[in-house]
Amino acid sequence: SVMRIDTISIFPEYFAPLHLSLIGKAIDHGLLEVSSHDLREFTHDRHRSVDDTPYGGGAGMVMKPEPWGEALDSILEQLPSPRRRPVLVVPTPSGRPFTQHAAAELAGAEHLVFACGRYEGIDHRVLDWADEHFELHELSLGDYVLNGGEVAALAMIEAIVRLVPGVIGNPDSLVEESYSASTRGMLEYPVYTKPSQWRGLEVPGVLLSGDHGAVDAWRALRSREITAARRPDLLDQESPDRP
Ligand SMILES: COc1cccc(Cn2ccc3ccc(-c4cc(N)[nH]n4)cc32)c1
């Protein structure tokens, strides 16, 4: 089944890179449809204004609700009926953390819409209205502040789309990853390839031994060491994936 992704932003060109590499191939193979929409196309004044001063005062500007309402209406009108509610992802610093778990959850959606804000955010009534017409997810990429939602949306889209069957060339790499690292499991072990000697540096002997049991043990040990050193918080969680 084809996954459809719509992005809405005042900088739609941010999403041109999605047509490169893996995601580009998925689009070419008809597995994925990506459309980027310019929010200013839903303004009608001479200055095509999308922002105004915040009620209650404070620095910066807030994105006006009207253009967002018209942009989201336009997405809903273009849906084949009868339609399941599309998913609306709104990147925001105040969102629920976007994790591998969230990516897997969203990878099952048929239609994803990303509303990318700028300025100090979007008038909250847009989210209140959207909650009635979409399956709304306010998501944070991490504990740092970006200037807008576009970079967060790009990262989320890549994390989601690579989980869609058929998009990634080698499905095995996903299975391994889902059990050993980068999810709520552990951090990835170090990887090596030819040449076995490079600038006087060797590849760990066990990896050349052909002893798969020893290799698995070495990798599990390295993952645990690295996780303990860099992400002790991941070790505390009891998870069925980790014996
Ligand atoms: C809303 O509160 C804000 C406070 C200060 C600046 C901004 C800028 N900004 C506008 C829209 C927007 C969307 C997402 C993000 C974002 C997400 C993550 N994880 N970091 N930053 C930042 C955004 C917003």
Side-chain angles (χ1 to χ4, degrees), residues 58-138:
M61 303 290 271
V62 170
M63 300 193 93
K64 299 165 57 63
E66 301 97 323
W68 282 106
E70 292 193 22
L72 292 171
D73 284 347
S74 153
I75 300 273
L76 289 171
E77 280 150 21
Q78 286 166 25
L79 287 178
S81 56
R83 57 180 164 81
R84 284 211 299 239
R85 282 198 307 176
V87 172
L88 178 63
V89 176
V90 182
T92 170
S94 56
R96 173 168 64 95
F98 178 75
T99 60
Q100 190 68 13
H101 181 71
E105 186 187 342
L106 294 171
E110 263 176 13
H111 189 180
L112 290 170
V113 184
F114 286 82
C116 303
R118 282 267 152 172
Y119 307 98
E120 295 306 305
I122 302 171
D123 184 300
H124 201 269
R125 288 169 292 181
V126 175
L127 299 178
D128 295 333
W129 175 85
D131 203 21
E132 305 297 320
H133 299 82
F134 293 86
E135 181 188 308
L136 176 64
H137 296 260
E138 292 183 68

Side-chain angles (χ1 to χ4, degrees), residues 134-218:
F134 293 86
E135 181 188 308
L136 176 64
H137 296 260
E138 292 183 68
L139 296 174
S140 165
L141 192 62
D143 294 338
Y144 37 83
V145 181
L146 302 166
N147 281 334
E150 290 83 1
V151 164
L154 275 172
M156 293 175 187
I157 290 168
E158 181 161 312
I160 292 161
V161 166
R162 65 190 297 278
L163 298 179
V164 175
V167 168
I168 274 267
N170 166 19
D172 299 348
S173 59
L174 284 184
V175 171
E176 159 103 355
E177 189 179 296
S178 60
Y179 281 98
S180 68
S182 83
T183 59
R184 281 168 297 172
M186 306 253 269
L187 299 184
E188 292 290 342
Y189 47 78
V191 289
Y192 301 83
T193 186
K194 294 189 283 299
S196 66
Q197 263 242 3
W198 175 71
R199 296 187 178 183
L201 299 167
E202 310 249 330
V203 171
V206 64
L207 301 180
L208 310 176
S209 69
D211 177 346
H212 302 294
V215 170
D216 288 347
W218 181 86

